[in-house]
Amino acid sequence: MVTKNASNWNGETILSLTIWPHRSCSKKTFHAVILLIAFVLLIPPLLFLELKFAVAILPFSLVSVSLLYLFCERSFQDSKLSETLKIFPERIVLHRSEPTGEIKTWSANPFWIRVCLHKKGPVENYLTLRGNGKEVEVGSFLTPMERKDLNNLIVNSISKLKTKNFSS
């Protein structure tokens, strides 16, 4: 997902965008699905008339619901990842907020950076920014088409900066 704000030289920011992984459902929906699955998996053992059958099936149902819950919680934790890219007339800044709360920052002069879209990188349309002695990945969690669109957006913004034509 991407949010974008752009302004001209007077606003100082040429491009400001925030990207984050797609979230397929909200926490509320997730809890409703877990309850439904728990109901579906925990009711059959109780329908057996003999206790030994219920005791044999119940642990597997509990483990299934518990694992689903833990993996989905991990997915929600991982989705706290976000990247903020800002292009100013004299500086480009990338902030990456990790799910752990750690923030990594990279910056360089936009006139000297190189935007690289690798068709055959670790993933399709692998997008990196190279400058200031480092190469950083952008949008690792985006789809290949989204990375291609992001590449075009960054390249267009930087080319506007280099031509000093902020109106187009």
Side-chain angles (χ1 to χ4, degrees):
M1 304 302 278
V2 177
T3 58
K4 175 181 115 174
N5 297 319
S7 60
N8 60 17
W9 182 273
N10 298 330
E12 299 246 350
T13 305
I14 308 307
L15 177 70
S16 176
L17 58 90
T18 302
I19 56 177
W20 60 89
H22 175 72
R23 295 175 184 104
S24 59
C25 70
S26 66
K27 273 281 205 185
K28 186 176 181 180
T29 306
F30 162 66
H31 288 291
V33 168
I34 287 292
L35 286 174
L36 178 68
I37 291 173
F39 178 76
V40 168
L41 289 176
L42 296 176
I43 290 301
L46 300 176
L47 295 178
F48 288 105
L49 298 176
E50 292 189 34
L51 185 59
K52 65 181 179 179
F53 290 124
V55 170
I57 295 173
L58 190 60
F60 296 103
S61 296
L62 290 172
V63 168
S64 298
V65 172
S66 300
L67 286 175
L68 179 64
Y69 180 81
L70 290 174
F71 290 141
C72 288
E73 276 295 322
R74 174 62 190 255
S75 176
F76 273 108
Q77 181 68 24
D78 290 346
S79 71
K80 291 180 181 178
L81 174 68
S82 70
E83 293 178 356
T84 303
L85 178 72
K86 292 186 180 187
I87 300 176
F88 301 98
E90 296 180 8
R91 179 102 14 260
I92 183 168
V93 180
L94 177 67
H95 293 285
R96 181 180 170 105
S97 299
E98 299 287 341
T100 60
E102 178 185 6
I103 296 177
K104 297 178 181 176
T105 302
W106 171 86
S107 66
N109 185 327
F111 291 98
W112 300 107
I113 72 155
R114 187 169 157 209
V115 182
C116 304
L117 185 67
H118 307 277
K119 298 291 181 187
K120 293 186 179 182
V123 293
E124 184 182 344
N125 291 338
Y126 184 66
L127 181 62
T128 61
L129 300 175
R130 185 179 300 166
N132 206 17
K134 282 187 173 181
E135 185 170 17
V136 293
E137 180 181 18
V138 181
S140 60
F141 43 80
L142 298 175
T143 66
M145 193 62 186
E146 289 172 328
R147 283 191 293 272
K148 190 174 181 182
D149 293 342
L150 181 59
N151 174 64
N152 294 337
L153 181 64
I154 295 169
V155 168
N156 290 339
S157 297
I158 291 173
S159 66
K160 285 180 193 177
L161 217 177
K162 290 179 179 178
T163 61
K164 297 196 181 201
N165 181 10
F166 302 119
S167 61
S168 59

